[in-house]
Amino acid sequence: MLALIDSDSLLYRVGFASEEEPEGIARARLDEVLTALIEDELNECTDHKFYISGVTNFRFALAKTYPYKGNRDNIKRPKHLAALREHITNKWNASVSCNKEADDDVCIAANLHPHCIIAAIDKDLDQIPGSHYNYVKKQFYNIGKFQGLKKFYLQILTGDKIDNIIGLRGIGPVKAEKALKECYTELQLYNVCKEMYNNIDRLHENAQLLHLLRHEDDQWMPPKEK
């Protein structure tokens, strides 16, 4: 089985844990973390692929209402982040995304390899049905097809503060779950969101920002009436 590992968070975690250490120690710690992950936690997988995000992203141009990731200008980054990115790319053959994000590349790979495990802590990846592993909680879990679809529409309602995608005012996870409780098809999920937004342009913008690519030329489209 193939393990697809969204590694952006790993670099930050190792980087912040190594702020007071020399660069060489930070690199060695990353090696320890990655080795433990693939040899101990994901040892049933016969192959492993690491993914990190590049600097270009189509979502920057797509976002019109609020700047995508516009709340990150003052976020502190680990001192050794650049060195760790270089290390995981050169030594561990990590794939660097181009005009998208690491979780898009993970999603594209998962679409090609349905019998894989997605290792991440990013809740966005719960859109993808299949086997998952949270490498912070040390927890394996499965996402069903409709469950993943519903998680996407729940995010449309709540937004994603980390990426500055603003959802509906006053709608958190509990209210969003209640609103979609009686939905059993994608069209029902969409229609509830459309009614709650009462602004189809903003609804579609947020959906396109939150949607993970299933293939290189993918883009989100609203479900059609049957």
Side-chain angles (χ1 to χ4, degrees):
M1 182 177 287
L2 172 64
L4 306 173
I5 304 168
D6 182 359
S7 307
D8 286 336
S9 296
L10 287 171
L11 301 187
Y12 273 79
R13 292 175 68 83
V14 171
F16 282 128
S18 308
E19 284 289 273
E20 305 304 320
E21 305 292 348
E23 180 184 304
I25 297 297
R27 291 173 182 260
R29 282 183 176 169
L30 180 60
D31 287 336
E32 291 175 1
V33 167
L34 300 184
T35 299
L37 179 60
I38 64 175
E39 293 187 358
D40 299 333
E41 300 168 46
L42 297 170
N43 58 356
E44 293 187 4
C45 296
T46 55
D47 197 8
H48 310 81
K49 183 64 179 175
F50 299 94
Y51 297 86
I52 62 174
S53 295
V55 296
T56 58
N57 191 333
F58 72 93
R59 293 177 177 86
F60 291 122
L62 185 63
K64 306 298 182 185
T65 308
Y66 300 96
Y68 186 65
K69 298 185 186 292
N71 54 349
R72 295 195 181 188
D73 290 345
N74 297 321
I75 289 181
K76 182 182 178 182
R77 290 171 174 78
K79 178 172 62 175
H80 300 307
L81 181 60
L84 293 175
R85 286 176 57 85
E86 181 270 337
H87 189 67
I88 196 172
T89 303
N90 291 341
K91 181 171 181 178
W92 294 87
N93 198 31
S95 175
V96 183
S97 68
C98 179
N99 204 36
K100 52 189 182 303
E101 299 181 23
D103 48 7
D104 290 305
D105 280 339
V106 169
C107 187
I108 291 169
N111 199 41
L112 295 172
H113 305 280
H115 300 295
C116 67
I117 292 179
I118 295 170
I121 61 170
D122 190 341
K123 65 183 182 299
D124 296 351
L125 284 163
D126 285 347
Q127 295 177 28
I128 308 173
S131 300
H132 291 251
Y133 178 67
N134 184 309
Y135 49 65
V136 172
K137 296 180 179 179
K138 313 298 182 187
Q139 179 182 24
F140 289 94
Y141 60 99
N142 290 299
I143 297 289
K145 185 176 180 180
F146 185 75
Q147 184 183 10
L149 196 59
K150 186 176 179 181
K151 285 181 177 293
F152 169 66
Y153 281 93
L154 287 169
Q155 262 197 305
I156 290 175
L157 293 179
T158 61
D160 187 341
K161 291 183 179 179
I162 293 176
D163 289 335
N164 204 39
I165 301 172
I166 310 302
L168 293 176
R169 183 183 297 275
I171 301 296
V174 174
K175 289 185 178 179
E177 183 67 44
K178 183 177 180 180
L180 301 181
K181 184 178 180 180
E182 301 300 323
C183 295
Y184 303 100
T185 67
E186 182 176 11
L187 186 59
Q188 290 174 335
L189 293 167
Y190 172 75
N191 284 337
V192 170
C193 291
K194 183 169 68 172
E195 182 177 351
M196 293 177 69
Y197 262 81
N198 196 29
N199 182 334
I200 199 164
D201 290 336
R202 185 160 172 257
L203 165 62
H204 287 187
E205 178 184 333
N206 279 357
Q208 289 165 355
L209 290 170
L210 290 164
H211 173 75
L212 296 182
L213 303 183
R214 269 57 173 181
H215 52 81
E216 292 290 345
D217 298 321
D218 188 24
Q219 63 176 347
W220 178 84
M221 297 295 291
K224 296 179 180 179
E225 297 278 355
K226 293 184 179 180

